[in-house]
Amino acid sequence: MSNSHPPVTLPGTEVRLLHSSNVDQEYKLFVSFPSGYDDSEDRYPVLYVTDANWLFSSFLGLHSLPIPPIIIVGIGYLTDDSAEIFRVRARDFLPTKNKEDEKNVKDEYEMSIESGGGREFLSFIRNELFPFINDQYRTEPDDRSLFGWSYGGTFGLYTLFNKPDTFNRY
């Protein structure tokens, strides 16, 4: 990649960093605002999206659909290295230690992953991420949704069955 050209910027978005003491991890938050956010005092529901490094831009089209306006918050990582993202997302999204899955990934993809950190990641979301987002943006604090894909879907089910009040929609 050439350093002589500016990076792509997605209109109506910003990136924030948030350190979690629950996970001891710095997270990269991708935030997208509905049309008219800056010109109103309205409060908005929030859609939280896992795997933001890979999926965040795919969700921006939601702002053009005939649905109520929302703030989209993607939860991602500081790195762009896919192997490292895969490693830490497995740690965050898989709630129990799964040595068989760790071995299968290592054998098939020649990558090392961790698992079993879902409880800490959920604590990060509930105790650190929600207060941060609610403090920084005009949210409807009790109107939250979660989208998770693959391991992120596993995390969504874990959350639904263990702390169902975390989100209104999964």
Side-chain angles (χ1 to χ4, degrees):
M1 177 166 55
S2 171
N3 290 329
S4 64
H5 301 285
V8 171
T9 301
L10 300 170
T13 67
E14 63 185 37
V15 173
R16 304 287 297 271
L17 301 180
L18 179 62
H19 181 80
S20 169
S21 59
N22 284 293
V23 182
D24 193 24
Q25 172 81 42
E26 191 88 11
Y27 289 94
K28 186 176 187 179
L29 306 176
F30 301 74
V31 184
S32 176
F33 305 96
S35 178
Y37 180 87
D38 291 334
D39 300 324
S40 78
E41 294 300 317
D42 293 344
R43 296 191 163 277
Y44 299 92
V46 180
L47 170 62
Y48 290 88
V49 177
T50 62
D51 288 311
N53 295 73
W54 296 332
L55 299 177
F56 179 71
S57 63
S58 300
F59 282 83
L60 301 184
L62 291 176
H63 293 306
S64 63
L65 295 178
I67 62 172
I70 59 173
I71 296 171
I72 302 168
V73 175
I75 307 166
Y77 303 99
L78 293 181
T79 183
D80 291 324
D81 178 80
S82 290
E84 178 61 12
I85 291 170
F86 197 79
R87 184 187 69 77
V88 292
R89 73 186 285 273
R91 175 202 64 201
D92 287 347
F93 302 161
L94 298 177
T96 57
K97 189 77 171 158
N98 187 329
K99 291 184 185 261
E100 183 178 337
D101 198 34
E102 291 176 7
K103 181 185 180 316
N104 289 342
V105 168
K106 186 170 185 97
D107 291 347
E108 190 167 336
Y109 300 105
E110 299 178 3
M111 290 190 304
S112 293
I113 63 167
E114 304 170 27
S115 58
R119 177 177 296 167
E120 292 79 12
F121 186 65
L122 181 55
S123 290
F124 156 67
I125 288 175
R126 290 174 62 96
N127 302 321
E128 296 173 308
L129 179 60
F130 287 167
F132 176 79
I133 295 299
N134 292 336
D135 181 61
Q136 297 294 307
Y137 306 107
R138 293 188 323 275
T139 67
E140 287 285 347
D142 296 323
D143 194 350
R144 300 181 292 255
S145 300
L146 175 68
F147 177 89
W149 163 78
S150 187
Y151 284 172
T154 300
F155 175 75
L157 288 172
Y158 168 75
T159 303
L160 177 63
F161 289 119
N162 289 277
K163 297 282 186 185
D165 64 328
T166 304
F167 297 98
N168 306 87
R169 288 166 294 285
Y170 289 83

